[in-house]
Amino acid sequence: MEQVISLLVENPLYLVIAVILSIVVLLLFLRKILKLLVIISAVGILYVAYLYWSGENIPEVVKGIEQVLDRALQKGVEFLKQFADQQ
């Protein structure tokens, strides 16, 4: 690993290429995350429309979904804390 770092530091051309590749990878990752968020939002909107047309109580259902997501987020945070403590 030290050899790679010293190679990048000693050769500015390699460093520029590595930075450009890193930016491309980051942008591709962000693009996929954005697509995922758009799909999740569309599915959520369709679900709320379905609830409206079927006559369900939308605020109750949304509150239940919020509680489930909140519990999942708390479990995720706890898992990450445990993982960080192990390192």
Side-chain angles (χ1 to χ4, degrees):
M1 186 66 172
E2 292 177 19
Q3 292 174 346
V4 173
I5 292 172
S6 65
L7 179 70
L8 290 175
V9 171
E10 292 171 1
N11 299 313
L13 181 62
Y14 291 154
L15 183 62
V16 169
I17 291 171
V19 168
I20 290 172
L21 286 175
S22 299
I23 290 171
V24 168
V25 168
L26 181 66
L27 290 175
L28 289 174
F29 177 73
L30 290 175
R31 191 170 142 199
K32 288 186 185 264
I33 294 294
L34 182 61
K35 283 183 181 180
L36 180 65
L37 288 175
V38 168
I39 291 170
I40 290 172
S41 298
V43 168
I45 290 169
L46 289 173
Y47 183 64
V48 169
Y50 168 75
L51 290 175
Y52 176 76
W53 282 314
S54 66
E56 293 287 329
N57 189 355
I58 296 174
E60 266 184 38
V61 173
V62 171
K63 189 177 286 189
I65 292 172
E66 286 176 353
Q67 291 173 351
V68 169
L69 291 176
D70 189 40
R71 278 187 254 136
L73 183 65
Q74 287 175 357
K75 287 182 181 181
V77 169
E78 290 173 8
F79 174 76
L80 289 176
K81 284 181 182 178
Q82 290 175 355
F83 182 75
D85 290 341
Q86 291 176 357
Q87 300 296 326

